[in-house]
Amino acid sequence: MKKLPIGIQTFKDIREDDYIYVDKTDVAYNLIDNYRYIFLSRPRRFGKSLFLDTLKNIFEGKKEYFKDLYIYDKWDWDVKYPVIKISFIGGVKSTDDLEEDLIRILADNQEVLNIECKDILSAKNCLSELIKKVYQKYNQKVVILIDEYDKPILDNVENIKTAKLIRDMLSGFYSVLKDSDQYIKFAFLTGVSKFSKASIFSGLNMLTDISLNPKYGNICGYTQKDIETQFLPYLDGVDLERLKNFYNGYNFLKDDIYNPFDILQFIDNDKVFKNYWFKTGTPTFLIKLIEKNNYFLPTLSNLIVDEKLLDSFDIENLDLEVILYQSGYLTIEEIKETLFGSIEYKLKIPNVEVKQSLYDVIIEFMTKNNKPNIYKTPLYKSLLTADLNELKNTLFVLFESIPYNNFTKNDIQNFEGFYASVIYTYLQSLGIRIIGEDVTNKGRIDLTCFCENKIYIIEFKVDAKTEGEALEQIKKKNYAQKYLTQSEEIYLVGIEFDSNKRNIGFFEFTPL
């Protein structure tokens, strides 16, 4: 069997050393044939760098690496184009750092292309000079490939002032592409985030964004077909349905796809189900954003956003939903047109890996409990067996375990959202289906929980005027009506919190 390309993003190495390669050259050929300036946004470790390097080898005419691939007999390999490649590694903490990094990157390109720039102190001027001199030397238009164009900004997103300065500097640097149009054959930029048009892309209005073009939805990642063909020999004995639930589910308006990093790590680690992709980038910044904005987490399970939201990363006005989507913690579940002709997207957490890992991190943050798993088994068993007294006892102990100092520096104990978010987060981490703020014709159910053939309709109250208000609301508004045809086991659960005790004050339930 072919070797697994773990950690290898160089197309030449993959082809020379007989590593497994999922052919994306049909997409590459289509893009080259139809566009000049392209932008692609995808989460980290999704194969963007390998695709970019594949483009590099195509333009450089490395025909020997493309035998048996789609593009082999379709591309004119006699025509070769000079390539300028810019890739950010990390470590940029200021505009001075960025300038040094860009000058180093451009120096590497000068060496490869045998070009010497006169202006080596200004990255922007050097790039402009390099493009023109390359065109003159090779008598051929230049290809520009920029990998992770936004990394210097994202690495500093917690420091808004620095991030803005870096953003503005990069905007000026990238504007060279527009000014050098006459010398450029093709340009391709990749990144995690799509910044609003008023910021970094203001000078690059010629870019075509293919991030949500269905034709290119599978440009990165592995499809189910890839798993069941090329990777099947590596997955002997693996429950493919479990593999699909655990790692599949990312969607960019074509097929559901797998993150390549997960699949390669899964096979290499003796096919053990673990959180490979998630643990490479714990979202501490997201957690801080949740804390800062007192975000009501149950909305994540039933989140609908418009087209503009997915296209509006703005460091001066950060939106949690945008960050979660663009960084890969949310993906597209459904797309629909509104009555007014606009597009809306329903988002979801892509798979079990992300769901369990993300909510474990959030649980640890919200409860300051570094052993969040100790409550999972009793919670799951109580729902599985409809033992609601055990559910009550487990939740009571859970809230009792939250340190007192969690409440002393703020007034979160007075907000229904905090208590609801803790319970919602724990239930989501179990991997079962949850709907937060579930819409009915009579109002919104705080939480609807599905556990095998059982449905739980849950309402929360804080400091209720009289005991029983929560359950009474469920009955009065007939929330269960929506699910009468879906299950014979429906349970109504009212949970009322006491802000003085910082715990459940009253808990009651009834089967329907």
Side-chain angles (χ1 to χ4, degrees), residues 146 238 465:
I146 302 177
V238 173
K465 294 179 181 178

Side-chain angles (χ1 to χ4, degrees), residues 248-251 256 300-301 303 328-334 346-351:
N248 197 4
Y250 299 94
N251 190 286
D256 280 354
L300 291 180
S301 65
L303 190 60
Y329 301 111
L330 290 175
T331 193
I332 297 171
E333 179 178 11
E334 183 182 353
K346 184 177 181 182
L347 304 181
K348 66 172 182 176
I349 295 174
N351 51 45

Side-chain angles (χ1 to χ4, degrees), residues 22 24 218 221-228 231 248 255-258:
V22 174
K24 302 286 185 179
N218 297 353
Y222 298 152
T223 65
Q224 189 63 31
K225 182 180 178 181
D226 296 329
I227 297 300
E228 295 176 0
F231 287 97
N248 197 4
D255 297 321
D256 280 354
I257 54 179
Y258 295 81

Side-chain angles (χ1 to χ4, degrees), residues 404 406-419 462-463 497-503:
Y404 177 78
N406 260 37
F407 301 95
T408 56
K409 295 180 181 179
N410 52 54
D411 56 355
I412 58 175
Q413 73 272 21
N414 297 319
F415 291 96
E416 179 183 310
F418 170 74
Y419 296 103
V462 174
D463 296 333
F497 298 98
D498 185 322
S499 62
N500 291 320
K501 296 179 180 178
R502 302 182 300 280
N503 209 320

Side-chain angles (χ1 to χ4, degrees), residues 24-291:
K24 302 286 185 179
T25 62
D26 56 335
V27 181
Y29 181 75
N30 181 282
L31 288 173
I32 295 169
D33 198 42
N34 288 285
Y35 302 101
R36 281 188 66 199
Y37 296 93
I38 303 171
F39 170 74
L40 174 69
S41 169
R42 284 293 184 271
R44 58 191 168 82
R45 295 187 177 273
F46 234 90
K48 300 188 297 295
S49 298
L50 176 58
F51 185 80
L52 211 69
D53 199 59
T54 304
L55 290 173
K56 180 176 184 290
N57 281 268
I58 292 172
F59 280 111
E60 289 178 340
K62 303 294 180 63
K63 181 179 180 179
E64 63 273 23
Y65 301 139
F66 292 89
K67 188 177 180 181
D68 300 323
L69 299 181
Y70 175 87
I71 202 172
Y72 184 74
D73 59 356
K74 298 174 179 63
W75 183 255
D76 185 354
W77 300 102
D78 292 330
V79 180
K80 304 179 191 300
Y81 298 91
V83 177
I84 295 173
K85 187 175 180 182
I86 297 170
S87 181
F88 293 100
I89 299 172
V92 171
K93 295 299 180 183
S94 67
T95 51
D96 288 341
D97 286 349
L98 178 59
E99 184 77 15
E100 289 179 11
D101 204 28
L102 288 171
I103 289 173
R104 175 191 58 78
I105 292 169
L106 294 175
D108 290 342
N109 278 275
Q110 291 173 65
E111 183 178 352
V112 170
L113 294 165
N114 196 23
I115 296 287
E116 187 173 329
C117 292
K118 293 181 179 179
D119 192 342
I120 59 172
L121 299 179
S122 165
K124 180 179 177 180
N125 293 341
C126 182
L127 177 61
S128 179
E129 185 182 353
L130 179 62
I131 292 172
K132 186 175 181 179
K133 284 191 170 181
V134 168
Y135 171 76
Q136 293 170 339
K137 177 181 177 67
Y138 293 93
N139 196 29
Q140 190 62 271
K141 287 192 173 184
V142 184
V143 173
I144 312 287
L145 303 176
I146 302 177
D147 196 16
E148 304 290 2
Y149 87 100
D150 54 349
K151 194 173 192 310
I153 306 170
L154 297 181
D155 284 348
N156 292 277
V157 75
E158 291 186 53
N159 186 335
I160 300 298
K161 183 179 179 180
T162 300
K164 286 172 62 178
L165 291 172
I166 289 174
R167 178 199 64 189
D168 294 342
M169 184 175 173
L170 282 175
S171 181
F173 179 75
Y174 295 138
S175 69
V176 170
L177 302 187
K178 188 173 182 178
D179 297 335
S180 306
D181 178 73
Q182 61 184 310
Y183 308 118
I184 295 176
K185 162 70 176 176
F186 182 85
F188 195 102
L189 285 75
T190 77
V192 170
S193 304
K194 175 64 186 293
F195 284 80
S196 59
K197 293 185 182 299
S199 57
I200 197 167
F201 281 110
S202 59
L204 295 174
N205 53 10
M206 74 290 195
L207 279 175
T208 298
D209 182 5
I210 64 168
S211 304
L212 287 179
N213 185 325
K215 289 189 295 185
Y216 308 110
N218 297 353
I219 190 171
C220 295
Y222 298 152
T223 65
Q224 189 63 31
K225 182 180 178 181
D226 296 329
I227 297 300
E228 295 176 0
T229 53
Q230 294 197 59
F231 287 97
L232 194 61
Y234 303 83
L235 297 170
D236 185 46
V238 173
D239 182 341
L240 294 186
E241 190 62 28
R242 185 184 179 196
L243 185 76
K244 182 177 180 181
N245 290 334
F246 213 90
Y247 296 119
N248 197 4
Y250 299 94
N251 190 286
F252 302 97
L253 303 185
K254 197 170 184 180
D255 297 321
D256 280 354
I257 54 179
Y258 295 81
N259 184 319
F261 183 82
D262 271 328
I263 294 301
L264 297 176
Q265 291 292 325
F266 174 78
I267 296 171
D268 190 53
N269 285 272
D270 297 324
K271 296 172 281 192
V272 174
F273 286 91
K274 290 172 60 177
N275 303 326
Y276 298 107
W277 173 77
F278 188 93
K279 71 179 182 181
T280 63
T282 304
T284 53
F285 175 67
L286 296 178
I287 303 304
K288 292 179 181 179
L289 195 59
I290 291 170
E291 179 182 29

Side-chain angles (χ1 to χ4, degrees), residues 426-462:
Y426 261 102
L427 295 181
Q428 278 284 33
S429 72
L430 301 178
I432 59 181
R433 183 185 170 206
I434 304 288
I435 301 178
E437 295 199 314
D438 190 6
V439 178
T440 75
N441 62 348
K442 295 290 183 68
R444 293 177 183 267
I445 305 169
D446 281 345
L447 216 60
T448 306
C449 175
F450 304 81
C451 189
E452 293 198 351
N453 63 331
K454 300 174 179 63
I455 298 176
Y456 298 90
I457 295 174
I458 305 173
E459 187 70 21
F460 302 105
K461 294 289 182 186
V462 174

Side-chain angles (χ1 to χ4, degrees), residues 387-415:
D387 186 346
L388 296 183
N389 283 313
E390 178 60 23
L391 177 65
K392 171 187 174 182
N393 294 335
T394 303
L395 291 176
F396 187 89
V397 174
L398 188 163
F399 281 102
E400 192 74 19
S401 71
I402 298 177
Y404 177 78
N405 59 13
N406 260 37
F407 301 95
T408 56
K409 295 180 181 179
N410 52 54
D411 56 355
I412 58 175
Q413 73 272 21
N414 297 319
F415 291 96

Side-chain angles (χ1 to χ4, degrees), residues 478-494:
N478 199 18
Y479 286 157
Q481 180 72 32
K482 181 176 180 178
Y483 295 106
L484 291 178
T485 61
Q486 296 188 28
S487 175
E488 294 182 359
E489 285 193 66
I490 299 177
Y491 298 88
L492 314 181
V493 184

